[in-house]
């Protein structure tokens, strides 16, 4: 070991090392002081036998050890080894204090630890534990008295019991004990046995022992706290899940937050606190970008988080701790909500600072609501606000604490406590992120499996049923010449103006005379008509296989089946060709738009988005709050649930080489196609229709007075946003096109749509135990004509009216719509007349009844006649 002089010399010659060393040492000491209040680290007298350099090194090592998220036993083991070496104990053990069936007991946890013994050998297996009651021996006395003991000679101590010695054959002579205390309860006892080379432990040994025990204590406490947190959160989980409606409104991450906050609420010592959750999306949905890109809406100039997100509090969870505990969830809080109006949460989200403010009413930078915030009479006095940061250093939310319970301002300790807590919250978000991701993968797997189970891609023989190379060339498609196969395919597919007597170039095309297999061929024909097959080198067998697989991707349900998918693809074709909208788009755009239209409802389950969020996946496992039991699809995609699924499904097909009709595109072109699929398929969510209405109308208004066609083409095709808006509206026009078809078609299709709605309504009634809305209630079937009129007036009319204004070639759709409107209206009037007749009859009967009973005083006072 180095002598004093050489150490000094070394330190002088190596100032950098000296600095680093003392920094570490100071940090270790500060930590040790922080963790063990009663121990005076300045009292160097008690260290005199231990080289202080070594001492600090050990402490530092232990502190490092404590920071590892390792298991408690392992860390305590290390502490015990150090202490055994320092106080020269023959062996050291750790007993845990626990209670079973209400009876406290002590059990060996780490046994016979020496400076060199192996952890695995010292860790006691639950099967080989030595267990004894808490009122036995000196360890028991330490646990009950919660006081450390120094027994120089066990034979002279009445409390000593040789119960353990008898089992192990060891001979205890002298010992030191120390109780591990957590929240005033003894959770375990450390015992050091037999001083090596002496017959008892000295007072100095005792002091050192105690000092190191404080480390063991911190470790045990950490573990205990984590454990209790777990217990407590499980308890609150049970309590809340059964009692609170709050959970129905929270996502998994928020629920995690909530659990953590709920559990620690008693430590916070404040009257109220709120957590504002920040929108984590870095990029907006394409349709939300449109108004900004068009210049209709100012780009966002407001505050942003340090990582560049707009500061949007999408939800506030408000916790009232005063009096009756209460939790309020405020989704989409307005900017003038009392919790936000001061601007403080936004400031914190923007800067990531901790803000501790007293007497906020007097503050003029932040203007807090001065009067009571709600009917509880709660008035804001002092505020402590701090960011919740996840491990990726992103601010995920802002926690704000109001009014310390004792009325005093929040102090540095509150700051520390709350900071620790928000760190913990941030951490819990991360855990939750991982959890969410795992689940996402899990759900994805579920869906993928479902997809696989329900359908397999086009088989060889199915391919041959259209592209019959075996028969014609006596060869497999991969051995055939593409040009020959194109010829063959074109010959097999019906000509465009005669598909079972119907023309693909007419908006009035009806699929009814065509078989489902025939529709696959008609679909292929349209790609040839568009001229994209040869241009983009789509292999004939890939095109056939893809079209066939898309057909198989549609389930055999009442309305959202392959026929609907085909019709939407067809109307897109018609809008581009017959409606002459193609002039705004490139060949690749047109190719992608028609393909996306075919795919837009693929794997539809016959139920709408709302149903997916409501659906109880497994009714028998009745942990019945909505979020947990919703269908996997609802969990995976937040909004436009079904549309995102159709999109994902279509992209899965694209990812498969043998199905990828876009396989010969360049990377950039392929990315364009992917984006167009996003736009087209998501656009079929009617919920988004209302967002794009005005934007579309503005384009129509702008182009209407343009005298030259060229001008309109330039106005649109040079602007990708306008192109997308029209494209999105075209998708709506296609999706609703059944309403414009000849009356014989529309009247039948409307019934199919209704039938599918009614089936969902039946499901809602039986599975979800909910009363369906009239549209989905088969008991309201007679109101169908009226509802169709409403649907035409509120949704469809705009689409086709604006399209015919935009391009007169599309007028046949609007005419068809209007004719159907008149037909439905006539039916509605028949129904109304019938209802009126029933109503009149009822009234007449009532009047007659009343006459009979009242003897002339008809209808005047029915109640009177009874009494
Ligand atoms: Zn559809």
């Amino acid at each position: 070991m180095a002598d004093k002089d050489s150490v000094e010399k070394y330190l002088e010659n190596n100032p950098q090392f000296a600095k680093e060393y003392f920094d570490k040492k100071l940090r270790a000491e500060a930590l040790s002081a922080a963790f063990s209040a009663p121990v005076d680290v300045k009292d160097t007298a008690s260290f005199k036998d231990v080289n202080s350099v070594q001492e600090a090194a050990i402490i530092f090592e232990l502190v490092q050890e404590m920071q590892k998220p390792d298991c408690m036993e392992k860390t305590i083991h290390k502490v015990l080894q150090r202490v055994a070496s320092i106080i020269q104990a023959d062996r050291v053990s750790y007993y845990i204090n626990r209670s079973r069936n209400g009876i406290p007991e002590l059990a060996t946890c780490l046994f016979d630890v020496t400076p060199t013994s192996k952890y695995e050998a010292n860790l006691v297996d639950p099967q080989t534990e030595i267990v004894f009651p808490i009122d036995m021996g000196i360890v028991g006395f330490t646990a009950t008295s919660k006081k450390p003991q120094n027994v120089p000679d066990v034979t002279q101590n009445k409390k000593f019991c040789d119960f353990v010695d008898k089992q192990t054959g060891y001979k205890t002579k002298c010992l030191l004990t120390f109780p591990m205390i957590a929240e005033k309860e003894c959770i375990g006892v450390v015992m050091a046995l037999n001083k090596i080379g002496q017959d008892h432990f000295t007072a100095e040994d005792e002091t050192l022992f105690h000092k190191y025990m404080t480390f063991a204590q911190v470790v045990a406490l950490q573990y205990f706290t984590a454990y209790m947190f777990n217990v407590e959160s499980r308890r609150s989980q049970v309590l809340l899940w059964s009692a609170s409606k709050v959970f129905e409104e929270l996502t998994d991450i928020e629920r995690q937050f909530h659990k953590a906050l709920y559990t620690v609420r008693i430590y916070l010592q404040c009257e109220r606190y709120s957590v504002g959750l920040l929108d984590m999306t870095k990029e907006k949905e394409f349709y939300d970008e449109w108004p900004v890109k068009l210049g209709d809406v100012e780009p966002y100039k407001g505050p942003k988080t340090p990582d560049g997100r707009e500061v949007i509090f999408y939800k506030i969870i408000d916790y009232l701790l005063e009096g009756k505990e209460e939790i309020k969830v405020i989704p989409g809080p307005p900017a003038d909500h009392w919790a936000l109006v001061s601007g403080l949460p936004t400031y914190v989200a923007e800067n990531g600072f901790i803000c501790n403010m007293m007497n906020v009413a007097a503050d003029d930078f932040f203007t807090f609501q001065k009067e009571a915030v709600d009917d509880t009479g709660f008035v804001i006095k002092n505020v402590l606000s701090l960011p919740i940061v996840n491990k990726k250093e992103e601010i995920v939310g802002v926690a704000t604490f109001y009014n310390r319970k004792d009325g005093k301002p929040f102090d540095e300790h509150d700051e520390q406590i709350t900071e620790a807590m928000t760190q913990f919250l941030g951490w819990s978000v991360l855990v939750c992120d991982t959890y969410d991701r795992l689940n996402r993968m899990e759900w994805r797997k579920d869906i993928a499996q479902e997809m696989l189970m329900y359908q397999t891609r086009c088989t060889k023989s199915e391919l041959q049923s259209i592209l019959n190379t075996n028969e014609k060339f006596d060869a497999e498609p991969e051995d055939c010449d593409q040009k020959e196969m194109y010829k063959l395919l074109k010959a097999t597919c019906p000509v465009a103006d005669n598909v079972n007597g119907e023309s693909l170039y007419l908006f009035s095309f009806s699929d009814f005379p065509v078989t489902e297999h025939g529709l696959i061929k008609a679909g292929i024909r349209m790609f040839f008509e568009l001229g994209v097959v040869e241009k983009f080198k789509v292999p004939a067998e890939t095109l056939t296989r893809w079209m066939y697989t898309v057909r198989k991707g549609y389930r055999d349900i009442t309305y959202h089946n392959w026929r609907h998918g085909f019709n939407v693809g067809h109307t897109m074709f018609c809008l581009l060709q017959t409606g002459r909208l193609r002039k705004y788009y490139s060949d690749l755009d047109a190719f992608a738009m028609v393909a996306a239209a075919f795919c837009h409802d693929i794997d539809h389950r016959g139920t709408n988005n709302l149903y997916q969020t409501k659906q109880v996946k497994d009714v028998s496992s009745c942990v019945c709050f909505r979020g947990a039991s919703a269908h996997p699809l609802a969990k995976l995609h937040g909004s436009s649930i079904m549309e995102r699924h159709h999109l994902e499904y279509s992209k899965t097909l694209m990812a498969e080489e043998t199905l990828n009709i876009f396989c010969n595109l360049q990377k950039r072109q392929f990315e364009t196609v992917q984006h167009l699929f996003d736009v087209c398929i998501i656009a079929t969510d009617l919920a988004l229709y209302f967002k794009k209405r005005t934007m579309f109308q503005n384009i129509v208004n702008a182009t209407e007075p343009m005298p030259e066609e060229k001008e309109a083409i330039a106005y649109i095709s040079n602007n990708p946003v306008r192109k997308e808006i029209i494209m999105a509206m075209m998708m709506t026009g296609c999706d609703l096109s059944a309403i414009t078809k000849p009356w014989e078609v529309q009247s039948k299709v409307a019934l199919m749509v209704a039938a599918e709605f009614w089936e969902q309504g039946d499901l809602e009634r039986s599975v979800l135990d909910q009363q369906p809305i009239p549209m989905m209630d088969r008991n309201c079937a007679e109101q169908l004509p009226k509802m169709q009129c409403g649907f035409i007036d509120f949704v469809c009319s705009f689409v086709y009216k604006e399209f015919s204004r935009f391009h007169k070639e599309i007028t046949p759709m609007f005419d068809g719509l209007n004719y159907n409107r008149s037909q439905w209206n006539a039916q509605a009037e028949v129904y109304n007349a019938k209802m009126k007749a029933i109503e009149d009859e009822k009234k007449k009967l009532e009047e007659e009844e009343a006459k009979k009973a009242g003897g002339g005083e008809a209808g005047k006072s029915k109640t009177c006649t009874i009494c």
Side-chain angles (χ1 to χ4, degrees), residues 562-612:
W562 161 234
R563 286 182 180 275
H564 169 67
F566 173 86
N567 281 318
V568 172
H570 164 258
T571 311
M572 179 55 84
F573 170 81
C574 234
L575 280 174
L576 287 166
Q577 304 293 87
T578 312
R580 296 187 56 241
L581 290 172
R582 181 141 181 206
K583 61 186 177 191
Y584 308 115
Y585 297 98
S586 70
D587 289 341
L588 186 63
D589 292 340
F591 185 15
M593 286 156 80
V594 174
F598 278 127
C599 293
H600 87 285
D601 265 336
I602 199 162
D603 199 40
H604 200 291
R605 289 100 197 274
T607 47
N608 65 12
N609 285 335
L610 200 63
Y611 183 80
Q612 302 298 335

